[in-house]
Each structure stands twice: as C-alpha cells, then as structure tokens.
Amino acid sequence: MPNFTVLVLTDETEFARVLTACWQAERQPPAITVLGSDLWKDHQETQHDLIIVGPLRDVKLSDFLAVFDASRAIIVCAPVEPRELHPLRARFPRLVHIPLREDWTQTLLLVATEALRRIEAVRIARHAECSAARNENHATLGRYMIDMKHSVNNALTSMLGNAELMLLEPGQLSQQSLAQIKTIHSMALRINEIMQRFSSLAGEMREAENASQAETQDLSSASLQR
C-alpha cells in the first residue's frame, strides 16, 4: 500500500526477514522500518501508520508499549501471557494479537492490510469533513452576499447617479477631478456587472439544486414502488 509506513519492532531477525519478504511480494507494499528493542527508543517519536511487535529479547511487552499513544494501531506477534493481554487490549483498543502459529504470516498480512485500509478510510473521512467545513464557510459567505445584494445595488445606483450628474457639467471640474470621477463611474459599472453575474450564478445554482432534489425524490419514489 503506497503512502503507508509500518514499523516492525523485533529482536528476532528471522521474524523480520520473513515478514518483510512476504510483504514485498504484495502488489503495493508499505514502507517498512525494522528496529530492535535496543534501537526503537531513538525512533519512538517517529509517526507510523501501523506498529507490528514481534518476538523481543528480555523486554516486558507492557513496558515496551507504555510509551505509545493509546490510539495507535498495533499488531502483536510476540508471545503474551493471557493475564497480560487483557490490560493491554483495554489500554490499546486497536491492538490485535496474532499467535505465532504455522500460518502467522498470512494472518498478519491480512489483518495488517485491513488495518491500513481502515486508516485510509479515516483519512478520507477527515479530509471530507475538512472539505465540508470549508464549503460551509463558502456557503455562508455566499448567503451573506445574496442577502446584501439589494443594499449593494442601491449603493451602486447612488454612486453611478451622482457620478453621471457631475459628468454632465465637466466645465466645473478640474482635469484631475474629472479623471477621478470617470474612474469612479467606470469601476462602479464594473462592480455592477460583477453583481449581475453573481445574481445569474445564484439563480443557476438554485435551479441545479431544485433539479437535484427533484431527481432524488423521483428515485426515492421509484424505489418505494418496487
């Protein structure tokens, strides 16, 4: 799986070799980092999507995992006493224990793949939530502009009217003042064009929304009639 990082913590070279070889044979393997119990403390602040704990040497598993955040996805393949496993699962709700049986590699890869898919789904959901929040902010701004459209048009009408009245008597103005008023008049016309286009877009969006709602209602009605 691209863009995923997996940390394998083990003191057993064969465990790391077999796991890495099996994963590399997959179509889209994640980036794998293998560390022993004597080196992992130097990398414990590094963020990884999944942590796999293999057999350790002279290390108590509960002490080993104590430094990790409780929300981390962890797969334990090290031997664990039953009385130790229950409190670990209580502390790490996303912890999975896979006994080192004959088919442990297939089971581990299956569970790990599903764990990474869940992580990706959470990422997508969070991205969607952020996008929805941004869209809501844009919608709020759009609603405000629609509410203020009448007031803006009134202000533009006043600006254009006064500018045009002053331009009817250009002899009473200096060349600099006349140029400035022409600029004000031109920019007011430009703003008016923008507001007209905005009004047109708002109407098109309402029509599209009504059409979408009507289509949804038709689909719902057809589904209920089946």
Side-chain angles (χ1 to χ4, degrees):
M1 289 186 171
N3 304 323
F4 286 111
T5 59
V6 175
L7 176 62
V8 178
L9 300 171
T10 182
D11 292 324
E12 189 174 296
T13 305
E14 184 64 14
F15 174 89
R17 187 193 66 78
V18 172
L19 175 59
T20 303
C22 291
W23 222 328
Q24 292 297 336
E26 296 293 317
R27 180 180 299 178
Q28 295 179 323
I32 302 174
T33 301
V34 179
L35 295 174
S37 59
D38 55 340
L39 296 175
W40 73 275
K41 290 185 178 180
D42 297 331
H43 299 78
Q44 59 182 312
E45 298 299 329
T46 306
Q47 293 297 318
H48 294 85
D49 297 304
L50 176 65
I51 299 173
I52 298 176
V53 182
L56 301 171
R57 181 179 59 250
D58 301 327
V59 179
K60 187 177 181 181
L61 187 60
S62 58
D63 295 337
F64 188 77
L65 298 177
V67 299
F68 291 110
D69 182 76
S71 63
R72 301 300 295 271
I74 299 175
I75 298 177
V76 175
C77 292
V80 184
E81 293 292 334
R83 63 177 180 273
E84 186 180 10
L85 186 59
H86 181 72
L88 282 176
R89 283 176 171 165
R91 172 174 169 77
F92 297 95
R94 299 172 64 188
L95 183 146
V96 177
H97 178 237
I98 298 177
L100 289 174
R101 297 170 181 168
E102 184 178 353
D103 59 346
W104 70 268
T105 52
Q106 291 83 355
T107 304
L108 175 56
L109 290 181
L110 178 62
V111 173
T113 300
E114 291 303 315
L116 293 177
R117 285 176 178 169
R118 181 183 183 278
I119 291 170
E120 178 64 12
V122 171
R123 286 180 180 174
I124 293 174
R126 288 176 178 172
H127 179 73
E129 289 175 356
C130 292
S131 298
R134 287 194 297 269
N135 292 337
E136 179 60 28
N137 291 336
H138 295 160
T140 300
L141 178 60
R143 287 192 293 269
Y144 175 77
M145 293 181 68
I146 291 175
D147 293 341
M148 296 300 296
K149 181 180 65 175
H150 183 69
S151 298
V152 172
N153 287 334
N154 286 342
L156 286 173
T157 300
S158 177
M159 290 175 61
L160 288 169
N162 282 280
E164 290 170 354
L165 286 174
M166 298 179 72
L167 291 174
L168 289 175
E169 301 178 356
Q172 298 182 5
L173 301 171
S174 65
Q175 290 298 319
Q176 181 178 0
S177 297
L178 183 62
Q180 291 173 338
I181 293 173
K182 287 182 178 179
T183 299
I184 293 173
H185 184 265
S186 177
M187 292 300 100
L189 286 174
R190 177 60 179 152
I191 295 174
N192 184 62
E193 292 175 0
I194 294 173
M195 291 303 297
Q196 292 300 321
R197 178 56 182 156
F198 178 78
S199 299
S200 176
L201 286 173
E204 293 172 7
M205 291 175 66
R206 281 195 296 270
E207 291 178 3
E209 182 178 356
N210 292 336
S212 177
Q213 290 178 350
E215 182 179 355
T216 301
Q217 291 174 356
D218 291 342
L219 290 174
S220 299
S221 300
S223 177
L224 291 174
Q225 291 173 0
R226 291 175 182 174

